[in-house]
Every structure is written in C-alpha cells, then in structure tokens.
Amino acid sequence: MPMNASGYIVASDSAIIGVGETIKEAARQALEWSDDYDGVEALIEDMEGDLEKAHEEDGKPYLRRATAALIDAVEKGGTPEQWTIIDNIACTAEEAIEHNS
C-alpha cells in the first residue's frame, strides 16, 4: 500500500522546520528558522532545484511531501523523535512500521 502525502515538510538535518498543505506554506514557516534566504521564493527555488536529494549532511533545507500524521505531529509538538521517508514521502515511525508489515 503506497504512502499518501497530504502536504509538505521542510527539514534541515533531521529537524522539521516547516510544514504546510502547500510548498509555499511550509517554506514560509521554515524561514522563521533560517536566515540564509532572502525570502520564500528564494528558499523554494533552492529546494526545488534538487527535490529528490536529501541534505542531511550539510544542514541545507530540503523539501519532501509528507503524510497528514507527520504534519499533525509536528504542529502539535515539533519534530517527532523518530520519522522517516518511504517512497519519497516523509512519515511518522508508526506509519513506516505499518507500511512495512
């Protein structure tokens, strides 16, 4: 069963710094944590340049589609201790376990 994305996250290293139903919404939130960009459009342009590549190593923000459960968890309490990416969609650890069983 495929993962269902219902929005986007912006992550930097393993921290999720922005969430939203749209890329713009997630990027706007992420800008509150990053002053490396002149605005939302500059951040989006940079992230969309290599959409499928993770930047866990260099701390550069990256964009991923995400499940509703992960977005909800971030909105309620910040980055969950464990989250992962399956089929290029960010999800909670619980969803990953369910997906793989």
Side-chain angles (χ1 to χ4, degrees), residues 21-100:
E21 285 182 22
T22 65
I23 292 172
K24 196 171 243 178
E25 221 175 273
R28 202 173 290 126
Q29 234 184 60
L31 275 181
E32 294 173 24
W33 301 97
S34 173
D35 35 11
D36 297 337
Y37 298 91
D38 290 335
V40 173
E41 297 306 324
L43 174 58
I44 291 172
E45 193 176 304
D46 190 43
M47 291 187 302
E48 285 185 333
D50 49 10
L51 201 49
E52 302 306 327
K53 207 165 82 187
H55 300 280
E56 284 92 342
E57 299 308 308
D58 61 12
K60 186 177 155 196
Y62 59 94
L63 182 66
R64 283 289 176 282
R65 293 178 302 146
T67 63
L70 181 60
I71 291 169
D72 192 45
V74 172
E75 286 174 339
K76 286 184 174 147
T79 304
E81 201 168 294
Q82 293 185 311
W83 63 280
T84 191
I85 295 173
I86 294 190
D87 301 332
N88 253 334
I89 298 174
C91 62
T92 65
E94 292 80 14
E95 287 176 303
I97 291 165
E98 208 171 280
H99 177 79
N100 291 327

